[in-house]
Amino acid sequence: MGKYHMRKQEQEITDEFELRDIINKGKYAIITMSKNNEQYIVTLSYGYDGINNNLYFHTGTKGLKLDFIQSNPNVCATIIDDMGYINGECGHEYRSIVMVGKMSIMEDMNEKKHGMEIVLNHLEQAPTIIKERVLKNDEAYNSIVVLKLEIS
């Protein structure tokens, strides 16, 4: 898929620091998927691996999103930094990122643990407490699916 230009190019965010700021502040991404000319959209909380430029998600072991990812790993995602509605102006202040990439299901236990570490560190104020309570052994990791979005 080729890169499309924005109609209002003055609003395009190209500064790497600002893009990472939006991702680091965000807590959820809206993911669009397709298979066999059918579309699906879902909102998922995420963790950002800034070193490898990946987003990680966790989900249940069965569901529509997994069917879509297994059929077609190419996804589109958006993260919105909502700065609020402007009363009296019928306007809204926000910044957003639209990204494409490949979504994969982490099969290797070490990859799953790494992905959940990223998610917990991104979302939780006390990630160690949650990890010790909820993810105390490999059996707990086997009851979830960890997804990785490699951002193109």
Side-chain angles (χ1 to χ4, degrees), residues 70-82:
Q70 289 168 335
S71 174
N72 179 2
N74 298 305
V75 302
C76 182
T78 189
I79 298 171
I80 302 166
D81 180 16
D82 185 352

Side-chain angles (χ1 to χ4, degrees), residues 7 20 58 96 132 135 144:
R7 186 174 54 85
R20 286 183 182 264
H58 67 91
S96 65
E132 290 171 357
L135 298 170
I144 61 170

Side-chain angles (χ1 to χ4, degrees), residues 12-31:
E12 182 175 11
I13 301 168
T14 57
D15 179 66
E16 187 72 26
F17 177 79
E18 188 172 4
L19 292 169
R20 286 183 182 264
D21 184 55
I22 294 169
I23 295 172
N24 285 322
K25 283 182 179 176
K27 301 296 181 200
Y28 61 89
I30 301 149
I31 312 294

Side-chain angles (χ1 to χ4, degrees), residues 105-118:
I105 299 169
M106 301 293 91
E107 303 289 348
D108 179 77
M109 185 59 72
N110 289 329
E111 290 177 333
K112 286 178 94 167
K113 288 179 178 180
H114 172 74
M116 281 308 298
E117 187 87 16
I118 297 290

